[in-house]
Amino acid sequence: MVRIVRATQAEIDEAVTALRDGELVAFPTETVYGLGANAQNPSAVQKIFEAKGRPTNHPVIVHLDSPRYLHRWVREVPATAQALAERFWPGPLTIVMARNPNVHDIVTGGQDTIAVRVPAHPMAQQLLTAFGGGIAAPSANRFGRISPTRAEHVRDEFGDAVRVVLDGGESQVGLESTIVACEPAGVRLLRPGAVTLAQLRQIVGDVQIGTLGAAPRVPGSTPIHYAPATPVTIVPADEIDTRAEDASEGGRRIAVLAQRLPLKTYPSVTWINAGRRADAYAHDLYANLRTLDKAGCEQILVQEVPGDEKWDAIRDRLLRGAAASEVESGDLAATGALGVMP
Ligand code: TXA
Ligand code: MG
């Protein structure tokens, strides 16, 4: 695994200058790479939406180096948020709270809440501390596509459109942060991630599973999201071999993301064995999907992952990726995606 944890002073200076000039900077976090702009500069934040092709009513997360300036962004910090921040920050948890009224609408999508995260990646910390302010950043991918977990993924997506790309090696977690909303009525999980429901409940007791509707909008929770360009189909674990064999009949090119080796060699099948460990599977998931997406196949068959909680975030992303084509078992809402179908 490539581990580059610190940037040189020259790299940080360049990135900070770009942020102060209202330009975009891609930077590593432990979840995925972010596409950052000065959160206090609306025209800089506007550039994020243009680069991603993302609708401007979708709010972005504000990244801070520590909770010390949280009050600039948040109206008040609920006790639940305080407890979660103490336990999980810096780390892969985003907390949605009532916004401070002077936060720009483009950051919050005009909502009365704001999403805040303190990332743990040392290079993100270096950048945030040197910049001295909040960095608004969604994942550094084009709208609806797979999040980047390596600097080269960001360059593949954006080319020269992003002036500075800090290279921090492979994102350790590999999936986007867990998002919770801390509301007067209680805590709701809006997006599953590395911080699990059980871990959240240990700190704050009851946690509801988020739903859309009256809830804040979470575009990452639209069914079609996190999607490769090649159609994705989720296949029951014990059928992965027969399905690969059948689909590849006549030399049709098929990609497979499995958790074991194939039982035999199928000539036109590109098979990735992502293993049985959830953390390693998550770490490699987006890089694997990118590899399979580029393999020139007609479809990607994904072996259904186990049902236990440590696979929740992975299952959620796979289902959303598959929703771009279809989910075989029929109704998406019936598939058990944690989260939050409209
Ligand atoms: O791990 C992560 O969270 C990465 C890294 C870069 O921090 N960021 C990320 O950002 O995944 P993005 O924009 O791709 O996904 C953040 C999600 C979006 O679905 C957005 O709508 C939601 O957070 N969000 C932002 N502000 C919100 C708010 N006030 N209420 C509800 N959802 C919000
Ligand atoms: Mg995203």
Side-chain angles (χ1 to χ4, degrees), residues 73-84:
W73 305 94
V74 167
R75 199 162 54 216
E76 70 182 309
V77 181
T80 49
Q82 182 69 36
L84 291 170

Side-chain angles (χ1 to χ4, degrees), residues 53-109:
R54 171 166 162 154
T56 46
N57 64 348
H58 288 204
V60 291
I61 298 171
V62 173
H63 297 71
L64 304 174
D65 69 344
S66 82
R68 65 198 158 122
Y69 298 126
L70 202 50
H71 59 273
R72 294 186 183 169
W73 305 94
V74 167
R75 199 162 54 216
E76 70 182 309
V77 181
T80 49
Q82 182 69 36
L84 291 170
E86 278 171 19
R87 171 65 182 80
F88 296 112
W89 281 355
L93 179 71
T94 296
I95 306 178
V96 174
M97 291 168 268
R99 72 187 261 193
N100 185 314
N102 59 23
V103 176
H104 292 286
D105 276 345
I106 186 138
V107 171
T108 65

Side-chain angles (χ1 to χ4, degrees), residues 7-202:
T8 63
Q9 193 56 48
E11 288 169 324
I12 294 296
D13 288 347
E14 188 193 14
V16 168
T17 303
L19 290 171
R20 294 204 175 124
D21 287 350
E23 298 296 332
L24 303 183
V25 170
F27 63 100
T29 86
E30 71 279 22
T31 57
V32 300
Y33 276 68
L35 185 60
N38 178 356
Q40 277 169 310
N41 178 345
S43 62
V45 178
Q46 176 69 33
K47 289 182 185 167
I48 297 175
F49 292 90
E50 285 161 13
K52 279 184 65 101
R54 171 166 162 154
T56 46
N57 64 348
H58 288 204
V60 291
I61 298 171
V62 173
H63 297 71
L64 304 174
D65 69 344
S66 82
R68 65 198 158 122
Y69 298 126
L70 202 50
H71 59 273
R72 294 186 183 169
W73 305 94
V74 167
R75 199 162 54 216
E76 70 182 309
V77 181
T80 49
Q82 182 69 36
L84 291 170
E86 278 171 19
R87 171 65 182 80
F88 296 112
W89 281 355
L93 179 71
T94 296
I95 306 178
V96 174
M97 291 168 268
R99 72 187 261 193
N100 185 314
N102 59 23
V103 176
H104 292 286
D105 276 345
I106 186 138
V107 171
T108 65
Q111 302 185 67
D112 54 8
T113 55
I114 183 168
V116 184
R117 180 161 101 84
V118 176
H121 194 296
M123 209 179 277
Q125 282 283 328
Q126 260 183 302
L127 176 67
L128 286 160
T129 301
F131 178 58
I135 299 181
S139 50
N141 53 279
R142 300 210 183 255
F143 182 61
R145 294 294 174 197
I146 306 168
S147 295
T149 53
R150 299 176 188 172
E152 75 202 57
H153 298 163
V154 180
R155 292 195 201 96
D156 281 355
E157 295 246 343
F158 293 107
D160 295 335
V162 178
R163 194 165 96 187
V164 181
V165 180
L166 291 177
D167 186 345
E170 297 176 7
S171 292
Q172 202 189 335
V173 173
L175 295 179
E176 305 79 2
S177 60
T178 303
I179 304 181
V180 294
C182 290
E183 299 164 341
V187 177
R188 281 183 315 120
L189 176 63
L190 300 180
R191 180 173 72 184
V195 174
T196 64
L197 195 54
Q199 287 178 304
L200 295 168
R201 286 183 171 148
Q202 263 176 11

